Structures are given as C-alpha cells and as structure tokens.
C-alpha cells in the first residue's frame, strides 16, 4: 500500500476573508473531519507545512508581487487586493506562506522517499495567482511554487500539473506559458470565470466543459485530452490542483460532478504517476465551497491516493 502524506498547518485556518466569503476556514475543518469520519486520517503521515521562503516564491512570482503581498497586511480588518474577492486579513500572510510551503514539503517528501504521494489541505488556494498579480481568492500560486521546486531543487525536467478545479487556472498557465518542462492540463467550466485568453502551446492542454456537464462527459474529455498527453510527456512527478468546486452541489459553478468522478480522476492520475513517475504525486487543495460536498470529495480523493497502484518497478533491478 502506498504511504500517503497529509500536509497542512493550523495557520491556514487563520486566513479570514470575512463572514460571508465562500473561501472560509470551515473548508479545512470539513476536509479533516471527513477524513476522520471515514477512518482515513489515522493511516496518513501527518506533516506540518513550513512557510515558503521568498526565494522559493520568486521562482514563479516577481519580487515586486511578493513584496506587495508582504506589505498588504492590514493592521486590523480586511484589505482587498486586485479584486474585491481577494482579501487579506491580519493573519492571511502566514496562511498563504504555509499554503505555498505545503507543496514544497510535499515535493520533498515524495522525492526523498518519505511518502509515495501527498495531499496538501491548505488555504488560501493558488491557481488563479499569476506571476505578478493576486486574484480569485489566490495570493501565491501554491502548485506552481511546488512545480518550480521540483524543477530547480531536484533538477527534474518534466513535471505535469493536472487541474480539475471548475475554474481555469489562469495563474498556472501564466507562469508556465513559456516553460515546456511543465505540462499543464486544465479542465474548467467554459465560458466562466476567469475567462482569460488561453495560449496555444503543445504543453498547455485546455479542456473546456459546458455548464451542466456531468461525470460521463468529464471522464470522456479527460480520456481524450489529458491521458494521451501525459503518456507522451512521461512526467517525472505529477502535481494536482485539486479543486472540488465542479461538484454538482457547489454554489459557485454549474458542473455536475460527484465524489465518484473525483475518485475516478484521482485513479487516472495515480495510474499516470505509476507508469511514469515512480508513483510520485502531490495534490493541493484548490476550490470547493459546499462543505459536505467538499468533505466527501476530498475523502474520495485521498482514499484513492492511499490505495493507488504500487510503483511499477518491472525491468529495474
Ligand atoms: Zn475554483
């Protein structure tokens, strides 16, 4: 059985964007409680997320962006960044640094053999954060920071990022648009937020889905677009932007997936990791705003990671 790490930090609960904001601390309680209820948490390797360093953040963000986020902490109350939904409170910086650091720790754990795969239960999410701007609840691009760490610190040359959040990860595309060492596969409701232009590159796989697309359409689209591209790319590490807001109960969007679909995509990605990356996979929480659906979906995702296929070692001594 694979050894799965669960990476989080209490500071991620301290980010308070305001009473009526959907990206709320209770999301992490919902994830953890679902894992507890289903008896999964006790089998995981619990690791604390360290804060990301400025040097790690600046592999994917401009120094000016990192300085801007650092300087935007309000003395009290809330401070809106680029858009009115992307909010900093007194403790948001700590949460954002831990969220980005979780991916660093996940990559370390799987690269150094402390875990086979990892799930990072963190907030704020990251995939809308571009190289030089915060947006869509995201300050730092957590999964991009993790990918850059794998490329730079561990000298990998092929990292795949699979993003099944209901929103397109414009930030991740912005950061890796001209870096073919990263295969970025994103499925997303379309047309929908953020509705930024998509670059056409061989290493950017866009899978737009019409509103009300359900599991069969989602699975067929990923089998058509993602799996062949990943098998051609042969990633040395698979990263996942695990947003669960494509769930049919989610209040922010209009796709009709359920937890079985999230289990299916997790199995498919774990199989890619097994074929090409020694099973190495690091998943990071992105969206998911209906708390019961988020808990069930994250539990379905983690259950598959715990039972992912063993590393394929045939042909090696
Ligand atoms: Zn989302």
């Amino acid at each position: 059985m694979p050894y799965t790490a669960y990476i989080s930090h209490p500071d991620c609960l301290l980010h308070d964007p305001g009473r009526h904001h959907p990206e709320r601390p209770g999301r992490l309680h919902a994830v953890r409680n679902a894992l507890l209820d289903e008896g999964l948490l006790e089998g995981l390797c619990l690791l604390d997320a360290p804060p990301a360093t400025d040097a790690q953040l600046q592999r994917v963000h401009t120094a000016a962006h990192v300085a801007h986020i650092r300087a935007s902490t309000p003395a009290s109350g809330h401070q809106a960044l680029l858009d009115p939904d992307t909010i900093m409170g007194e403790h948001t910086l700590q949460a954002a640094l831990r969220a980005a650091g979780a991916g660093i720790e996940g990559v370390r754990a799987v690269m150094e053999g402390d875990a086979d795969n990892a799930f990072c239960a963190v907030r704020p999410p990251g995939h809308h954060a571009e190289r030089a701007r915060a947006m869509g609840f995201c300050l730092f691009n957590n999964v991009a920071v993790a990918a850059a760490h794998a490329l730079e610190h561990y000298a990998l040359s092929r990292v795949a990022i699979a993003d099944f959040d209901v929103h397109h990860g414009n930030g991740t595309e912005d950061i890796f648009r001209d870096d073919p060492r990263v295969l970025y596969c994103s499925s997303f409701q379309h047309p929908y937020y953020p509705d930024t232009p998509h670059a056409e590159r061989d290493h950017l796989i866009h899978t737009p889905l019409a509103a009300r697309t359900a599991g069969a359409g989602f699975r067929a689209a990923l089998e058509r677009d993602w799996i062949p591209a990943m098998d051609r790319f042969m990633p040395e590490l698979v990263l996942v932007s695990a947003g669960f807001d494509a769930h049919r109960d989610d209040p922010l969007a209009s796709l009709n997936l359920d937890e079985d679909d999230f289990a299916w995509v997790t199995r498919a990605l774990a199989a890619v990791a097994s074929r090409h990356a020694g099973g190495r996979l690091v998943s990071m929480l992105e969206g998911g705003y209906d708390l019961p659906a988020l808990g069930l979906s994250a539990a379905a995702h983690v259950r598959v990671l715990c039972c992912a296929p063993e590393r394929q070692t045939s042909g090696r001594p």
Side-chain angles (χ1 to χ4, degrees):
M1 296 283 280
Y3 199 39
T4 298
Y6 178 86
I7 305 172
S8 191
H9 194 278
D11 284 359
C12 291
L13 294 165
L14 298 178
H15 169 47
D16 171 20
R19 270 180 60 200
H20 300 295
H21 199 292
E23 204 291 280
R24 55 210 190 275
R27 297 178 64 235
L28 292 188
H29 293 304
V31 169
R32 189 180 178 91
N33 289 341
L35 297 178
L36 267 174
D37 288 349
E38 300 200 17
L40 293 166
L41 200 63
E42 60 202 33
L44 304 176
C45 168
L46 306 184
L47 297 174
D48 268 351
T53 67
D54 280 13
Q56 290 164 344
L57 296 170
Q58 287 176 23
R59 290 175 178 144
V60 303
H61 292 294
T62 63
H65 175 74
V66 175
H68 172 62
I69 298 298
R70 282 197 173 280
S72 297
T73 296
S76 64
H78 298 99
Q79 162 90 26
L81 294 171
L82 179 90
D83 59 52
D85 292 332
T86 309
I87 306 282
M88 285 195 75
E90 293 168 68
H91 306 292
T92 296
L93 178 64
Q94 293 157 255
L97 293 173
R98 298 284 181 179
I104 298 277
E105 176 65 0
V107 169
R108 185 207 63 74
V110 302
M111 292 305 300
E112 300 187 5
D114 288 351
D116 293 299
N117 55 43
F119 177 67
C120 302
V122 293
R123 55 182 292 278
H127 73 154
H128 293 305
E130 298 184 345
R131 188 169 286 277
R133 69 171 173 172
M135 62 182 277
F137 313 165
C138 303
L139 308 183
F140 301 127
N141 194 313
N142 306 322
V143 80
V145 169
H149 190 62
L151 294 169
E152 304 301 326
H153 187 76
Y154 291 100
L156 298 191
S157 49
R158 295 183 310 282
V159 174
I161 301 176
D163 183 340
F164 54 78
D165 188 279
V166 79
H167 304 96
H168 180 248
N170 59 291
T172 310
E173 175 178 325
D174 175 64
I175 288 164
F176 295 117
R177 180 178 293 125
D178 297 314
D179 189 345
R181 295 177 300 172
V182 175
L183 176 72
Y184 178 55
C185 300
S186 179
S187 61
F188 48 93
Q189 184 177 329
H190 181 75
Y192 201 51
Y193 181 90
D195 214 17
T196 48
H198 301 155
E200 295 303 323
R201 303 278 196 282
D202 287 346
H203 68 283
L204 303 176
I205 308 296
H206 311 297
T207 303
L209 300 168
R212 293 179 291 284
T213 297
F218 171 76
R219 296 181 191 201
L222 267 56
E223 284 181 333
R224 178 194 68 210
D225 293 353
W226 286 20
I227 307 305
M230 288 191 166
D231 281 336
R232 282 194 301 274
F233 185 73
M234 296 191 293
E236 299 162 293
L237 171 68
V238 174
L239 302 179
V240 183
S241 270
F244 299 105
D245 42 7
H247 194 283
R248 64 185 174 208
D249 292 341
D250 197 276
L252 262 59
S254 307
L255 294 190
N256 287 329
L257 305 190
D258 63 21
E259 45 273 24
D260 289 343
D261 298 310
F262 294 120
W264 176 86
V265 66
T266 309
R267 272 194 299 277
L269 296 172
V272 168
S274 177
R275 286 197 291 279
H276 303 293
R280 290 186 294 266
L281 181 152
V282 178
S283 172
M284 306 196 70
L285 182 64
E286 299 280 0
Y289 303 100
D290 178 83
L291 298 188
L294 171 62
L296 289 173
S297 300
H301 179 63
V302 170
R303 187 184 303 107
V304 172
L305 293 182
C306 297
C307 305
E310 294 291 336
R311 298 166 183 226
Q312 290 183 358
T313 55
S314 58
R316 293 209 301 249

